[in-house]
Amino acid sequence: DGGITQSPKYLFRKEGQNVTLSCEQNLNHDAMYWYRQDPGQGLRLIYYSQIVNDFQKGDIAEGYSVSREKKESFPLTVTSAQKNPTAFYLCASSFSPGANQPQHFGDGTRLSIL
Amino acid sequence: RKEVEQDPGPFNVPEGATVAFNCTYSNSASQSFFWYRQDCRKEPKLLMSVYSSGNEDGRFTAQLNRASQYISLLIRDSKLSDSATYLCVVNGIGGSTLGRLYFGRGTQLTVWP
């Protein structure tokens, strides 16, 4: 089945700890995105990548880092510098970003502080 | 000004009702428009793209008014399963916004029996 897989589904972070959220897609999409959603709020863009080995900051990149070493994978690290990490994290992908295609989402990771 | 603004809702309607959601966008050069549906504690899912001439998919009709920078979604004969949050989405049009989609905060719909 083609799709986007996020793991884990639930994650708990201790004070001072970095945690990494996984996002893998087998749709052959060029572009990948990370969003954060807080209760009752809209989606906010953290980072996005239009091509392998390249990525750009979104609106709320502080306290987060990403890498894009493979087309299929776009992991997000929530660092200890992110003081309010509790949220629903969504990964998305799309075909060539210049074509303004819709984005397709994974089923998300819920991150909480211990 | 936000890139995408939606009716705040919530909308509570009986089964069988017709309900309409509205959305405005700020960038007149935007080219691509979408409606997504998000169920409680789930990921957003693409409901339909919105084309210039308007388009219909079963009970759902989307309209685009470029002059007013306005998008609408009409749901006819509402079902209980239509209860969800509906997100209006517009593309970025160039420069640092190329490849980005801008999501509205969503309008919550509850259909009651």
Side-chain angles (χ1 to χ4, degrees):
Chain A
D1 272 344
I4 303 171
T5 302
Q6 289 188 242
S7 62
K9 208 170 183 66
Y10 299 94
L11 186 58
F12 297 91
R13 195 192 88 171
K14 295 179 183 176
E15 287 287 334
Q17 185 182 38
N18 293 352
V19 292
T20 297
L21 284 58
S22 170
C23 179
E24 304 275 333
Q25 55 97 0
N26 60 5
L27 300 167
N28 200 32
H29 285 172
D30 292 306
M32 297 186 75
Y33 308 82
W34 275 105
Y35 295 90
R36 168 182 173 140
Q37 188 174 37
D38 293 276
Q41 303 293 315
L43 276 67
R44 291 188 289 168
L45 183 65
I46 305 172
Y47 268 99
Y48 64 111
S49 168
Q50 299 181 6
I51 196 169
V52 175
N53 292 321
D54 187 42
F55 49 82
Q56 290 80 40
K57 292 181 180 179
D59 301 320
I60 54 164
E62 187 173 347
Y64 300 97
S65 65
V66 293
S67 63
R68 186 89 187 274
E69 296 175 2
K70 298 187 299 182
K71 187 175 184 177
E72 302 79 18
S73 178
F74 191 41
L76 173 74
T77 296
V78 184
T79 75
S80 57
Q82 173 47 248
K83 298 306 179 189
N84 185 21
T86 297
F88 187 37
Y89 289 86
L90 288 158
C91 178
S93 69
S94 68
F95 283 113
S96 171
N100 293 312
Q101 295 290 310
Q103 294 173 15
H104 301 273
F105 287 83
D107 57 7
T109 293
R110 292 194 179 275
L111 176 62
S112 301
I113 298 179
L114 273 179
Chain B
R1 183 184 172 187
K2 290 187 183 296
E3 288 81 7
V4 181
E5 304 225 41
Q6 293 187 240
D7 279 348
F11 287 68
N12 298 299
V13 302
E15 268 190 297
T18 295
V19 62
F21 305 137
N22 303 318
C23 164
T24 56
Y25 60 96
S26 60
N27 195 321
S28 60
S30 290
Q31 295 292 325
S32 299
F33 310 91
F34 310 98
W35 282 101
Y36 280 71
R37 168 197 170 122
Q38 186 174 23
D39 292 289
C40 188
R41 299 179 65 81
K42 298 285 192 182
E43 77 275 19
K45 293 185 178 176
L46 179 67
L47 179 65
M48 58 198 302
S49 301
V50 185
Y51 303 120
S52 295
S53 54
N55 49 300
E56 189 173 306
D57 182 2
R59 298 182 292 108
F60 297 85
T61 300
Q63 295 280 350
L64 170 63
N65 183 321
R66 286 190 184 275
S68 301
Q69 294 177 215
Y70 169 103
I71 307 159
S72 65
L73 177 69
L74 183 77
I75 305 176
R76 291 182 300 279
D77 188 23
S78 299
K79 311 291 184 194
L80 296 176
S81 57
D82 293 334
S83 297
T85 297
Y86 291 83
L87 308 177
C88 176
V89 183
V90 176
N91 73 300
I93 53 86
S96 63
T97 70
L98 183 66
R100 289 189 57 164
L101 292 181
Y102 291 93
F103 288 78
R105 292 180 65 173
T107 300
Q108 187 177 346
L109 171 66
T110 300
V111 181
W112 45 273

